[in-house]
Amino acid sequence: MTMAEEDTLLSEDPESSRARLAETPTVKELEELLNTGRSSCNHVDEVWPNLFLGDHISAHSRFGLWKMGISHILNAAHGTIFCHEPHDFYGTTIEYYGVPAHDLPDFDISPYFYPAAEFIHKALNTPGAKIFVHCAVGISRSASLVLAYLMIYHHLSLIEAIEAVKKHRWIFPNRGFQEQLRNLDIQLRCTKQSK
């Protein structure tokens, strides 16, 4: 089974998965889900076809990025202490987008959900492109933006998006980001139901 086929499956038992997805989970339920599965991650992991999620160590290795074939970078911690590389750090071979998010529960990352999702979507629709989304550690800010992308462009529920990413990488958005992702899930469900 290819990674794309694996990620389109809801679970081993689609009926029980659909029943679980009937409502948006509480933050407590999200934390329980996030605490399952893999308990560690690499510096970078492919979490969706041609979509890589990782940390600032990988982001600072231009040779490593070149070896992976990365053509686009979304820095979810642009301008912060660990991720303050300027736009021209990667030269002209990589398209860069920076989101100046802070990994704090009271930081509102939601205004960046749609612009970041659009950047990821455009990158993945570019023939031969690969995108690397990162922050300092690659588990909270960048993971939140990847989850939002999967929800917005692939119409996954929040639980489905978390499960898809967690097959490949341990993630744990902070509580504030979890709440904002819950709100996005509710908005997307309402939009879907009104159509």
Side-chain angles (χ1 to χ4, degrees):
M1 179 182 296
T2 67
M3 186 178 203
E5 291 168 336
E6 179 183 320
D7 286 327
T8 57
L9 298 175
L10 296 179
S11 72
E12 299 300 321
D13 181 5
E15 290 307 313
S16 67
S17 184
R18 279 189 194 83
R20 273 192 349 207
L21 302 174
E23 293 183 23
T24 299
T26 65
V27 170
K28 183 177 187 292
E29 291 168 333
L30 284 177
E31 288 185 341
E32 288 171 2
L33 175 61
L34 290 165
N35 276 319
T36 63
R38 301 176 70 149
S39 59
S40 64
C41 50
N42 301 310
H43 288 295
V44 61
D45 294 292
E46 186 175 18
V47 297
W48 193 260
N50 299 318
L51 172 55
F52 297 80
L53 180 57
D55 61 22
H56 74 284
I57 293 170
S58 294
H60 290 136
S61 173
R62 286 183 283 206
F63 179 71
L65 295 168
W66 173 79
K67 270 179 54 177
M68 288 191 310
I70 298 298
S71 57
H72 294 72
I73 289 182
L74 192 167
N75 177 355
H78 177 76
T80 62
I81 191 164
F82 294 111
C83 304
H84 59 273
E85 62 272 351
H87 285 279
D88 61 354
F89 176 79
Y90 300 106
T92 58
T93 59
I94 290 181
E95 193 169 329
Y96 179 88
Y97 180 68
V99 171
H102 296 279
D103 191 14
L104 301 168
D106 62 348
F107 182 85
D108 188 3
I109 197 169
S110 65
Y112 300 103
F113 285 164
Y114 280 90
E118 183 179 357
F119 181 77
I120 294 169
H121 185 67
K122 284 182 178 176
L124 294 177
N125 282 311
T126 302
K130 292 181 179 179
I131 183 165
F132 176 53
V133 182
H134 78 91
C135 55
V137 183
I139 61 170
S140 185
R141 289 170 280 195
S142 55
S144 296
L145 296 179
V146 167
L147 293 172
Y149 160 72
L150 294 173
M151 294 163 67
I152 293 165
Y153 280 96
H154 291 278
H155 312 291
L156 300 183
S157 70
L158 177 54
I159 289 178
E160 290 171 319
I162 289 170
E163 289 177 341
V165 173
K166 280 184 59 65
K167 287 178 190 172
H168 309 286
R169 183 178 182 82
W170 183 77
I171 58 169
F172 206 96
N174 72 47
R175 279 186 168 221
F177 295 172
Q178 289 177 41
E179 191 61 52
Q180 292 166 52
L181 287 164
R182 284 186 75 253
N183 291 338
L184 177 63
D185 193 45
I186 292 165
Q187 291 167 9
L188 293 171
R189 283 172 192 273
C190 290
T191 302
K192 205 182 293 184
Q193 289 171 357
S194 67
K195 286 185 178 179

